[in-house]
Amino acid sequence: MFAQVAVDIAHSKIDRLFTYIVPDTMQLELGNHVLVPFGRGNKLAEGFVLMLSTAPAEPDIKLKSVFKLLEPYPIFTKEQLSLAYWMRETYRCLLVDALRLMIPTQLRGGHIKEKKQYVVRLAEDADFAAIRASMMNKDGSLKAPRQVEILEMLHKTGAPIAYNEVLKFLPGSSNSLNALITKGFIIREEFTIFRTPAGVLKQEDTTVDLTASQENTIRAISFGMKTKRGTFLIHGVTGSGKTEVYMQCINSCIENGQHAILLVPEISLTPQTMGLFRARFGNKVALLHSRLSAGERFDEWRKIRLGLVQVAVGARSVVFAPFDKLGLIVVDEEHEQSYQSETSPRYHAIEVARKRCLINNATLILGSATPSITSYYRAKTGRYTLLELPERVNLRPMPKFKIVDMREEYLCGNTGIFSNMLLDELDACLKAGKQAILFLNRRGYSTFISCRSCGYVFQCKNCDISMTYHRTENRVKCHYCGLTETVPELCPNCGRKFIKYSGIGTQQVHEQMNYRFPKAAALRMDYDSTRSKDAHEKILSAFARKEAQVLIGTQMVAKGLDFPDVTLVGVIDADKSMYLPDYRSAERTFQLLTQVAGRAGRDEIPGVVVVQTNSPLHPSIRFARTHDYKGFFTYELAQRRAALFPPFSLFIRVLLTGKDESQLYLEALHIGRELEKAALIALGSGNSKDLIYLCASPSPIKKRQGDYRYQVLIKLLRTERTAQVLNAIYNCINENSKERFFTVEINPNDLF
Ligand code: ADP
Ligand code: ZN
């Protein structure tokens, strides 16, 4: 037998399979993890068996043999192997880079640590009474009282006991215990145990009275799972009970003997939601989130691979869960940007999910209160089946929007952070003993420091961005590279003392909150306050226990939270995301407003949302205020069609980075010309208008972490020729990438 092995070294020069002889004593399967001698020095390298054959692929070469099989089971399913090939094609990545996404890092580099434990039990053929008798002296006293004690304990328990437990129970008994093992009365066995991060795995019986829309949706999907499958898009308003729908669909999937995956954004993997899944699925679910230790992560993965669980819940990468009977994938909050990977392989989890569902003949559910324009467009044009949950459960009203024009507020003399409307609402909310969430998408204290005298702006030395002032540490920080410096007293440019702090961050909101409402306790949740392990959980559970009345935070508080006592949401500055130089800024602002508003009024008392803005008539605000997703979609799609933005076109960004700016610019111009030529040839004559835009220029953030950044931005009409052009673009990049490394991104999350 011969094995074709992908060696686990990420390098474009060895992005192919190598043939090895399989020794007669070794049984290999596809997907096995092996050690092979590699290179001139025959150093041992890890590898993955991707093909097996009876004849070598390269007959003339002297072949080496596989050295060792590492895991007794294939670490990849056959489906994952074909998925990896698909990813290499689609995302132009190395095969091993695709494969590495599918296994826990612990499996690689010889770091595997299964947690072993020894247990002891009575030997099957041991006759307790006879052994006991044999240990008795003639006068009735015991020869070895300790040994008898151990035997009695095991006899009474009637089950294996952990070796260490015996020693804990009967201190100083290790010699006696080992003697019994040597005599063969007691058997010692090795057990692999699984680390269970959340402790108890009790499954609870829950029955809810489904709303009519929930019932219809579940019925449609269950029917779909048995027949045509395909993709469903659930558009359900915030608080409409989407999670219940997902859980019931997952249930019917596993009742059919199949497996299911649920993807949620990392920030929604709160203890609260995980408790919900544990309660519902008990031992049947593996939960993968970023706070697991490497060992716990490895164990959860193994439970999936070895078929010990039927459901996997996690963030983006759980889409690769190695189930072999995949029946359903659910993607919650499908519009979230975090589903797209920002490092190579730049995969989008929804695309991977669609591919896996296609291979496995499985069903895909996408759900959101604010579906992405692209997904909703697909549903409207018949590629997805649209299902709607138009009302909140128990017919609770949607939160009421109150829009405050901050320009008027200013003209009337209020120059503070909080409008009078927000102050009044906060006051009423706190007096009623309820809770409030204040949202601001900027951390720190002041986001901008400048000199009043000469206009100098304090920027990061390494990045083309202004420094943020953090009052808690009394330092300025760069949010891109992490550089921190002491606060300047004098302007480094003109030497005068007119330093001005502007731009509000969460720390300042917190300070103002304490000042205005000294009796109310407020918690702050942002990147800075959640750096330590479990900080995130501690803040949320303190808020849940009502130890604080107000939660202030960045996008971490905007989504997914379900606190019944929150009746007020304040958006401190809605304009931040509105005017970014990105065609998606209206879409993102609408999503953010709708999502953050959805945190209010989830129980009996209706919610209120106060939105502070300088642009009260902006469409994102107008449509969010009336909870009119469809209106927003129609408006936004018309804009996109007129300007030929996605979904009607595709953005490709080729990024070049380096220290020498002028050199970089010349190279960007050169590759831009080459790309244009290649694209036009691929399009063929008469189709040149497909290439809407191609421009080489500095990136909007021209310098980052000490490197200059130039880019070629390409906008391409989506037609049946698009794949062809992409191919030509990738080939052109490959041919030119000898001296310069290019990052190619298709529809990147941001265009900075
Ligand atoms: P969404 O994800 O759509 O915003 P959730 O799934 O978080 O909404 O549901 C909102 C709340 O309603 C949750 O607390 C959930 O337990 C509850 N819920 C869901 N379905 C029902 C139902 N049929 N009857 C009563 N409560 C429900
Ligand atoms: Zn920086």
Side-chain angles (χ1 to χ4, degrees), residues 383-491:
R383 275 187 285 168
Y384 298 164
T385 308
L386 184 63
L387 299 168
E388 292 178 312
L389 301 170
E391 283 125 25
R392 287 190 155 183
V393 295
N394 297 333
L395 292 178
R396 278 176 198 138
M398 295 304 290
K400 188 169 167 27
F401 270 85
K402 297 191 174 179
I403 313 293
V404 184
D405 187 338
M406 290 306 272
R407 296 168 304 183
E408 272 173 33
E409 202 78 11
Y410 192 81
L411 289 177
C412 298
N414 178 5
T415 54
I417 294 179
F418 301 127
S419 59
N420 288 319
M421 167 91 78
L422 184 53
L423 287 173
D424 290 347
E425 290 291 345
L426 270 169
D427 195 48
C429 168
L430 296 174
K431 283 209 177 104
K434 297 292 169 186
Q435 292 179 298
I437 290 179
L438 297 180
F439 166 73
L440 177 65
N441 222 350
R442 274 172 296 190
R443 60 193 175 94
Y445 190 87
S446 303
T447 50
F448 200 73
I449 308 166
S450 56
C451 172
R452 269 182 220 273
S453 174
C454 72
Y456 177 85
V457 176
F458 288 82
Q459 288 207 312
C460 173
K461 282 203 235 14
N462 308 322
C463 310
D464 178 24
I465 186 129
S466 59
M467 301 283 271
T468 300
Y469 173 55
H470 284 245
R471 173 160 285 185
T472 42
E473 295 132 86
N474 197 30
R475 287 177 82 79
V476 292
K477 281 190 194 171
C478 170
H479 286 183
Y480 276 173
C481 72
L483 179 79
T484 86
E485 283 178 356
T486 52
V487 186
E489 267 179 46
L490 302 176
C491 171

Side-chain angles (χ1 to χ4, degrees), residues 208-211 214 236-247 276 332-333 369 389 392-394 396 560-562 595 598-599 602:
V208 264
D209 291 325
L210 295 173
T211 66
Q214 281 176 323
V237 300
T238 55
S240 59
K242 291 185 286 294
T243 315
E244 186 60 38
V245 171
Y246 304 151
M247 291 195 295
L276 189 69
D332 188 23
E333 310 291 358
L389 301 170
R392 287 190 155 183
V393 295
N394 297 333
R396 278 176 198 138
L561 302 181
D562 186 15
Q595 294 289 347
R599 303 312 109 216
R602 295 172 75 89

Side-chain angles (χ1 to χ4, degrees), residues 141-413:
S141 64
L142 291 171
K143 282 182 196 157
R146 254 300 148 81
Q147 294 189 17
V148 176
E149 223 177 327
I150 295 172
L151 285 167
E152 266 173 356
M153 189 165 94
L154 283 169
H155 180 65
K156 259 193 238 141
T157 318
I161 302 179
Y163 184 88
N164 290 333
E165 289 291 300
V166 176
L167 301 189
K168 239 187 264 167
F169 226 71
L170 305 169
S173 63
S174 64
N175 285 344
S176 315
L177 184 56
N178 291 339
L180 286 167
I181 292 168
T182 317
K183 285 182 198 160
F185 295 153
I186 283 182
I187 309 290
R188 190 175 85 148
E189 284 170 335
E190 193 180 51
F191 261 76
T192 302
I193 57 166
F194 289 98
R195 287 154 272 221
T196 313
V200 205
L201 297 178
K202 213 172 124 272
Q203 198 168 347
E204 286 164 17
D205 272 331
T206 27
T207 40
V208 264
D209 291 325
L210 295 173
T211 66
S213 315
Q214 281 176 323
E215 215 165 285
N216 291 338
T217 304
I218 292 167
R219 196 174 320 117
I221 294 171
S222 303
F223 182 71
M225 287 204 283
K226 292 196 195 87
T227 52
K228 67 181 164 81
R229 298 181 181 87
T231 303
F232 293 89
L233 176 65
I234 304 179
H235 173 216
V237 300
T238 55
S240 59
K242 291 185 286 294
T243 315
E244 186 60 38
V245 171
Y246 304 151
M247 291 195 295
Q248 299 226 2
C249 293
I250 290 170
N251 237 341
S252 56
C253 171
I254 59 182
E255 272 166 16
N256 274 332
Q258 291 185 303
H259 302 147
I261 299 174
L262 171 61
L263 271 78
V264 298
E266 178 66 45
I267 59 170
S268 307
L269 282 169
T270 58
Q272 202 187 5
T273 53
M274 289 193 294
L276 189 69
F277 295 125
R278 281 218 182 279
R280 190 61 69 93
F281 299 114
N283 271 326
K284 299 197 187 86
V285 64
L287 293 171
L288 291 135
H289 56 87
S290 64
R291 293 178 303 282
L292 293 182
S293 69
E296 289 167 346
R297 182 161 277 275
F298 173 53
D299 283 0
E300 294 295 287
W301 177 86
R302 228 154 20 107
K303 284 187 211 160
I304 301 171
R305 181 66 193 97
L306 303 177
L308 302 174
V309 293
Q310 288 76 46
V311 186
V313 179
R316 181 172 68 216
S317 60
V318 83
V319 75
F320 297 109
F323 283 126
D324 54 8
K325 281 182 283 192
L326 193 61
L328 175 68
I329 301 182
V330 183
V331 184
D332 188 23
E333 310 291 358
E334 66 87 31
H335 63 278
E336 278 285 318
Q337 295 172 48
S338 58
Y339 287 129
Q340 175 152 355
S341 169
E342 308 232 295
T343 52
S344 176
R346 289 169 196 277
Y347 70 94
H348 197 297
I350 294 182
E351 285 171 354
V352 174
R354 266 173 45 205
K355 183 66 188 174
R356 287 197 75 181
C357 286
L358 212 62
I359 301 177
N360 288 288
N361 208 6
T363 301
L364 176 60
I365 302 176
L366 309 176
S368 174
T370 51
S372 74
I373 296 288
T374 305
S375 293
Y376 202 77
Y377 179 66
R378 288 199 173 129
K380 281 286 174 197
T381 50
R383 275 187 285 168
Y384 298 164
T385 308
L386 184 63
L387 299 168
E388 292 178 312
L389 301 170
E391 283 125 25
R392 287 190 155 183
V393 295
N394 297 333
L395 292 178
R396 278 176 198 138
M398 295 304 290
K400 188 169 167 27
F401 270 85
K402 297 191 174 179
I403 313 293
V404 184
D405 187 338
M406 290 306 272
R407 296 168 304 183
E408 272 173 33
E409 202 78 11
Y410 192 81
L411 289 177
C412 298

